[in-house]
């Protein structure tokens, strides 16, 4: 009889927690305490428990620390910036410096990972010998009531659609967003370096970072099943600030993950996706890469020339325009001078709350 290969993820939870973390989750957060709680619960429900979470508050109030204290999980460290940075690039760079896991994930504070996400992603990485893994996530754009009247999310689409990095050079900045469903070898992530602030970029900080990772020439691997959940449902509540509402749909999914098997949760999401696909009709076939796109890819990979940056420079487009708009929409703020992250890293423990 063939003996099953030993894996630390097969250990009892009490023993797994004592192991060196395989994955460091870096979670930038601001005000969304209810969503953050659900995100962290999705980590606690993972079948692979070898992880740590570095939560980086962007000048959060005391309610964030109070919620984290109730979780009573030694794998979660919480640092809080003394003033607002205004976007994820600073907290992500700060957390990357402190990470100790073999892999890192830049997890959004309002995205959820299904219970088998880590085990599946780590298996895909091992099979491909990959440096960078990109997982599939279901997108919830709608809300509905279940048979009991509880508000639930409705998942209608999946991203990324194609395992093709050439889409990185498109102007659309959302094909590989968010970073919640990536796993990157820590050594590789540090070669890529810190995230750049949006005020210096014509791309978003996320797209700029993953394009730099692509140009390093590492091995990329793609998941072929949904193991993450992204919620756009806050946009349904357009009458109030996006940061001033509780998102009960997150709690709905966590309760389901706590009460039902991984298989059942996958089946629930798959059924919603199938119903949405049947309403849309046959999927469009992906067009083969054209000559222009192939040239843009070659210029970037071999010479580091990003066609969008060139066009933006000639058209005198403002850097960081998208992030300025999002910040104003979400919190009503305008932050012109970002805080110096390097100065905070001289003594990061001074910012530690938990």
């Amino acid at each position: 009889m063939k003996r099953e290969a030993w894996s630390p993820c097969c250990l009892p939870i009490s023993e797994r927690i004592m192991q060196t973390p395989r994955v460091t989750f870096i979670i930038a957060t601001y005000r969304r305490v209810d969503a953050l709680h659900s995100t962290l619960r999705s980590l606690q429900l993972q079948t692979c428990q070898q992880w740590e979470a570095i939560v980086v508050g962007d000048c959060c109030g005391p309610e964030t620390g109070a919620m984290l204290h109730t979780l009573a999980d030694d794998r979660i460290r919480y640092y809080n910036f003394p003033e607002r940075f205004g976007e994820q690039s600073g907290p992500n760079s700060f957390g990357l410096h402190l990470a100790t896991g073999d892999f890192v994930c830049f997890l959004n504070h309002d995205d959820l990972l299904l219970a088998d996400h880590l085990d599946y992603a780590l298996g895909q990485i091992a099979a491909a010998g990959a440096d960078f893994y990109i997982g599939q996530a279901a997108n919830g754009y709608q809300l509905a009531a279940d048979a009991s009247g509880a508000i639930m999310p409705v998942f209608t689409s999946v991203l990324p659609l194609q395992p093709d990095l050439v889409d990185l050079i498109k102007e659309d900045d959302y094909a590989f967003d968010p970073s919640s469903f990536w796993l990157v070898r820590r050594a590789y992530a540090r070669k890529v370096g810190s995230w750049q602030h949006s005020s210096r970029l014509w791309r978003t900080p996320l797209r700029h970072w993953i394009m730099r990772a692509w140009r390093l020439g590492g091995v990329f691997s793609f998941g072929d099943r949904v193991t993450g959940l992204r919620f756009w449902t806050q946009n349904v509540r357009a009458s109030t600030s996006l940061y001033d509402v509780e998102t009960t749909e997150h709690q709905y999914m966590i309760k389901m993950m706590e009460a039902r098997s991984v298989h059942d949760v996958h089946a629930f999401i798959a059924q919603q996706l199938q119903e949405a696909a049947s309403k849309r009709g046959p999927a469009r076939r992906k067009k083969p890469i054209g000559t222009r796109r192939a040239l843009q890819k070659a210029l970037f990979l071999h010479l580091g020339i990003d066609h969008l940056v060139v066009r933006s420079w000639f058209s005198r487009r403002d850097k960081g325009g998208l992030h300025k708009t999002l910040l104003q929409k979400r919190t009503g703020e305008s932050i012109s001078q970002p805080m110096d992250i390097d100065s905070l890293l001289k003594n990061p423990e001074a910012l530690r709350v938990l």
Side-chain angles (χ1 to χ4, degrees):
M1 183 176 183
K2 185 176 180 180
R3 184 177 180 181
E4 183 177 353
W6 180 85
S7 168
C9 292
C10 299
L11 291 170
I13 289 178
S14 59
E15 293 183 43
R16 294 181 205 165
I17 294 174
M18 299 302 293
Q19 299 287 323
T20 302
R22 295 290 315 276
V23 178
T24 297
F25 291 98
I26 300 164
I27 308 173
T29 191
Y30 178 63
R31 286 173 56 179
R32 298 285 302 281
V33 178
D34 60 312
L36 175 63
H37 181 273
S38 295
T39 296
L40 291 169
R41 279 295 295 142
S42 79
L43 298 189
Q44 291 179 322
L45 294 169
Q46 290 295 303
T47 53
C48 177
Q49 287 286 305
Q50 282 182 270
W51 56 264
E52 65 174 356
I54 299 174
V55 179
V56 185
D58 194 7
C59 197
C60 292
E63 62 278 1
T64 300
M67 181 276 291
L68 292 170
H69 183 74
T70 65
L71 290 176
D73 196 321
D74 291 340
R75 295 169 295 178
I76 301 172
R77 289 183 276 160
Y78 174 45
Y79 300 81
N80 197 23
F81 284 178
E83 59 186 81
R84 285 279 283 145
F85 193 86
E87 62 181 54
Q88 290 176 287
S89 61
N92 283 350
S93 296
F94 183 89
L96 179 58
H97 181 85
L98 301 178
T100 65
D102 300 323
F103 299 88
V104 296
C105 169
F106 302 100
L107 177 61
N108 281 2
H109 66 174
D110 57 354
D111 293 331
L112 303 184
L113 304 179
L114 299 187
D116 59 344
H117 173 80
L118 274 187
D119 270 327
Y120 176 74
L122 290 169
Q124 294 292 102
I125 287 172
D131 301 294
F132 202 122
Y133 168 82
I134 299 174
Q136 280 192 340
N139 292 278
Y141 288 95
Q142 303 170 16
L143 296 173
D146 69 4
S148 70
I151 298 299
M152 68 177 185
V154 179
F155 298 100
T156 58
S157 65
V158 174
L159 284 177
L161 293 175
Q162 299 287 341
D164 189 349
L165 289 171
V166 73
D167 285 345
L168 285 174
I169 59 177
K170 289 183 177 179
E171 293 189 32
D172 173 14
D173 278 316
Y174 296 102
F176 291 97
D177 292 13
S179 53
S180 298
F181 316 114
W182 306 347
L183 279 188
V184 190
R185 290 190 188 274
R186 177 167 54 109
Y188 195 80
R190 287 183 171 166
K191 284 183 181 179
V192 179
S194 298
W195 288 52
Q196 298 297 305
H197 191 269
S198 62
S199 62
R200 304 169 188 160
L201 304 172
W202 280 294
R203 295 277 189 181
T204 63
L206 180 148
R207 179 55 61 91
H208 181 259
W209 196 87
I210 191 175
M211 287 180 72
R212 285 158 52 201
W214 183 30
R215 191 160 184 259
L216 276 181
V219 177
F220 281 69
S221 173
F222 286 80
D224 58 6
R225 73 180 189 194
V226 169
T227 58
L229 304 177
R230 189 178 191 193
F231 299 80
W232 298 81
T233 44
Q234 67 269 23
N235 296 317
V236 177
R237 305 179 178 91
S239 60
T240 58
S241 169
L242 301 183
Y243 277 65
D244 292 335
V245 295
E246 289 192 4
T247 50
T248 53
E249 56 271 28
H250 287 76
Q251 299 162 21
Y252 184 95
M253 292 307 304
I254 289 297
K255 289 178 181 177
M256 179 185 293
M257 291 162 66
E258 290 172 338
R260 297 167 66 175
S261 69
V262 177
H263 179 270
D264 285 345
V265 177
H266 276 285
F268 169 80
I269 296 164
Q271 181 179 357
Q272 289 191 339
L273 293 172
Q274 185 175 9
E275 290 173 357
S278 65
K279 293 177 182 177
R280 287 194 298 267
R284 294 181 181 178
R285 295 182 62 182
K286 185 177 175 68
K287 295 180 180 179
I289 182 172
T291 303
R292 189 174 79 170
R293 186 58 53 78
L295 177 60
Q296 291 170 346
K297 174 184 176 182
L299 285 173
F300 177 71
L301 290 181
H302 297 296
L303 300 176
I305 299 174
D306 183 350
H307 73 100
L308 180 61
V309 170
V310 174
R311 287 172 52 195
S312 299
W313 186 85
F314 275 107
S315 63
R316 299 183 182 276
R317 177 183 168 195
D318 288 339
K319 293 181 178 180
L322 175 61
H323 273 263
K324 290 176 185 176
T325 301
L326 290 176
L327 183 63
Q328 186 66 35
K329 181 180 179 181
R330 289 169 175 169
T331 67
E333 295 173 295
S334 178
I335 300 174
S336 57
Q337 186 62 39
M339 187 170 37
D340 180 22
I341 297 300
D342 288 339
S343 65
L344 299 181
L345 288 171
K346 292 177 181 177
N347 185 17
E349 290 305 302
L351 305 178
R352 186 167 177 180
V353 180
L354 291 174

